[in-house]
Amino acid sequence: MEMTTYQAVFAVLLIFFVGDFVGAITKAKISSMFVIMMGFLVLFLTGIYPANIMEVSGFAGVAALGQYFLLFNMGTSVDIATLKKEWRTVLCAVVGMAAAILGCAVVIPLVGKDFALAAAPVVNGGIVATTTMVKACEDLGLDTAAALATFIYAVQKFVGTLPASNCGLGVANALVADLRAKHAADPNYSWYAEQAAAVGGEKKTYFWEKYKKYYTTFICLAIAAAFMWLAQILGNLCQGWVNMSIWCMVFGIIARNTGLVPSNLLRDFAKANGFFSFLSLCTIIPSLAKVDLSMLPTIGFATVVIFVAVLVFTFIVFYLTPAWKIVGSKNLSIGIAMCQMIGYPGTELIATEITNAVAQTPEERDAVSAKIQTAYVISGFTSVTILSVFIASFLAKML
């Protein structure tokens, strides 16, 4: 018996419900994305869900829009001033991404060029990079490579979380020990006084702040759609060298940093970012329906080899070369590098857990948060939100 449209809609959203529920009750220790992707994979393999469930549900027809709205919103979250201030973290994140790409390249003789190219941007990034590579692989008939990219996206948080957490704890313990030593030597010592800086001139009032009341849900969606239309025109004019995805992000960055729109326009003002994220996921889930049992050993082997290579090269770069000096700590540099596999809000959750585990006073909490949370969030933002999109667009052409 075939599913009806509304049965399919419920069946799809039921798996997302289970994923979010598991993520919530485990406090993100078990990734909701892992539960969702593994859930669909098992249901496709067992035949419980039909391979065309996204078409039946109607989500396939609008899913492609999700990526472009998401990219524009990601652009509006980019604060160039903050990136300039945290340039050491940004540079360390870039080096970590390069180490991951190098690790993927080295194992080409073991897993093949298509697998390595499909995996590298996904290790570097998140849903947008994954969507880009899955679509590129499917367009070329590389169904197994598309499934591998989806599988790596599902499990990468497990790989990155443990090193990021352990290395962050090492940094936090050292920081707290230093604070306590300073208080022991000088009872009047204050971390807050040490961090205090002179306040600059008057804060500039941006265009969107003057007309904030007009940034309603539909106006925000229309603004994003207008920039998407312009991005499509420029993408066509550039004949694929700078595609629509890149233009969407670039326009988002420009719109936010010129004050035309606020940060996270679609998340905080249109309240629609979650839906667009869901649509983006709907574009990669069908690749799991093309997996059969004979592919699992190949995909499993390639996944293990790729992640081992990525971890080995990351540790080599930041432990055996002077690269760790960028941020002044081997542990912090490793933690920053791992954030490319975690992304927001995972980076913030890990930083919060580290702070809660180590800090005992408000001052210690603020000091650890300023060190760890800032570094982790900026790193994940640099890799997942920005650079992985460019890397995916470039490597997709090399398949």
Side-chain angles (χ1 to χ4, degrees):
M1 180 179 175
E2 292 186 0
M3 280 187 174
T4 67
T5 297
Y6 296 106
Q7 284 175 328
V9 168
F10 171 71
V12 169
L13 290 172
L14 177 63
I15 305 304
F16 280 83
F17 166 85
V18 173
D20 272 6
F21 182 74
V22 172
I25 63 175
T26 62
K27 296 182 180 179
K29 288 183 172 61
I30 297 178
S31 165
S32 62
M33 287 301 104
F34 176 79
V35 176
I36 291 168
M37 296 303 171
M38 291 304 100
F40 275 106
L41 178 60
V42 171
L43 291 167
F44 285 141
L45 286 173
T46 56
I48 296 174
Y49 277 17
N52 66 341
I53 192 171
M54 290 302 174
E55 285 78 13
V56 175
S57 66
F59 291 132
V62 294
L65 290 174
Q67 178 180 354
Y68 299 115
F69 275 105
L70 202 59
L71 277 164
F72 179 77
N73 187 68
M74 288 165 67
T76 68
S77 69
V78 176
D79 183 357
I80 293 177
T82 300
L83 293 182
K84 287 180 179 179
K85 181 181 177 182
E86 296 292 332
W87 68 269
R88 291 183 181 275
T89 300
V90 171
L91 180 58
C92 188
V94 171
V95 173
M97 295 176 75
I101 294 173
L102 182 60
C104 291
V106 167
V107 298
I108 287 178
L110 292 175
V111 302
K113 176 185 174 184
D114 294 339
F115 276 17
L117 289 176
V122 182
V123 173
N124 283 161
I127 181 61
V128 174
T130 305
T131 303
T132 301
M133 297 314 295
V134 168
K135 184 178 184 303
C137 289
E138 290 182 335
D139 288 346
L140 296 171
L142 303 172
D143 292 340
T144 310
L148 173 69
T150 305
F151 191 78
I152 285 179
Y153 173 68
V155 302
Q156 65 179 347
K157 286 180 174 59
F158 286 101
V159 179
T161 297
L162 186 60
S165 181
N166 287 339
C167 290
L169 281 171
V171 175
N173 281 318
L175 177 60
V176 169
D178 182 60
L179 279 176
R180 292 171 183 172
K182 288 179 178 178
H183 276 291
D186 179 9
N188 295 319
Y189 170 78
S190 169
W191 176 81
Y192 297 106
E194 188 176 84
Q195 298 298 311
V199 178
E202 292 185 7
K203 181 181 179 295
K204 181 180 178 181
T205 301
Y206 291 111
F207 176 88
W208 74 266
E209 291 176 306
K210 295 178 182 177
Y211 304 100
K212 185 177 180 178
K213 67 178 180 179
Y214 295 108
Y215 284 79
T216 61
T217 296
F218 295 122
I219 288 177
C220 291
L221 290 174
I223 290 171
F227 279 111
M228 284 167 52
W229 182 21
L230 183 57
Q232 181 193 34
I233 293 172
L234 290 179
N236 292 336
L237 289 175
C238 293
Q239 298 180 344
W241 289 103
V242 182
N243 61 27
M244 180 180 174
S245 296
I246 300 300
W247 282 116
C248 282
M249 174 167 281
V250 168
F251 284 137
I253 293 172
I254 293 172
R256 185 264 170 86
N257 286 277
T258 56
L260 178 62
V261 302
S263 173
N264 285 301
L265 177 74
L266 299 183
R267 186 191 73 185
D268 297 338
F269 285 76
K271 306 296 183 184
N273 206 50
F275 181 65
F276 292 130
S277 296
F278 164 73
L279 290 181
S280 291
L281 287 170
C282 287
T283 65
I284 67 174
I285 287 170
S287 67
L288 296 173
K290 298 176 182 178
V291 176
D292 57 50
L293 290 174
S294 65
M295 293 181 184
L296 292 181
T298 302
I299 292 174
F301 172 77
T303 300
V304 171
V305 169
I306 287 167
F307 279 128
V308 167
V310 168
L311 291 175
V312 167
F313 273 85
T314 300
F315 276 82
I316 287 174
V317 167
F318 288 114
Y319 269 97
L320 302 182
T321 77
W324 64 271
K325 294 182 179 180
I326 296 172
V327 293
S329 166
K330 291 182 178 180
N331 278 336
L332 185 58
S333 62
I334 292 289
I336 287 172
M338 290 298 104
C339 290
Q340 65 187 297
M341 291 187 278
I342 302 170
Y344 188 86
T347 48
E348 185 169 341
L349 290 174
I350 291 172
T352 300
E353 288 181 349
I354 291 169
T355 302
N356 291 338
V358 175
Q360 295 181 1
T361 67
E363 183 184 47
E364 290 176 359
R365 288 184 61 83
D366 289 342
V368 172
S369 179
K371 184 77 171 181
I372 304 296
Q373 186 166 326
T374 301
Y376 279 19
V377 171
I378 291 293
S379 174
F381 178 75
T382 300
S383 54
V384 178
T385 304
I386 307 175
L387 296 181
S388 67
V389 178
F390 292 88
I391 292 169
S393 298
F394 175 74
L395 293 184
K397 295 183 177 64
M398 298 178 63
L399 284 168

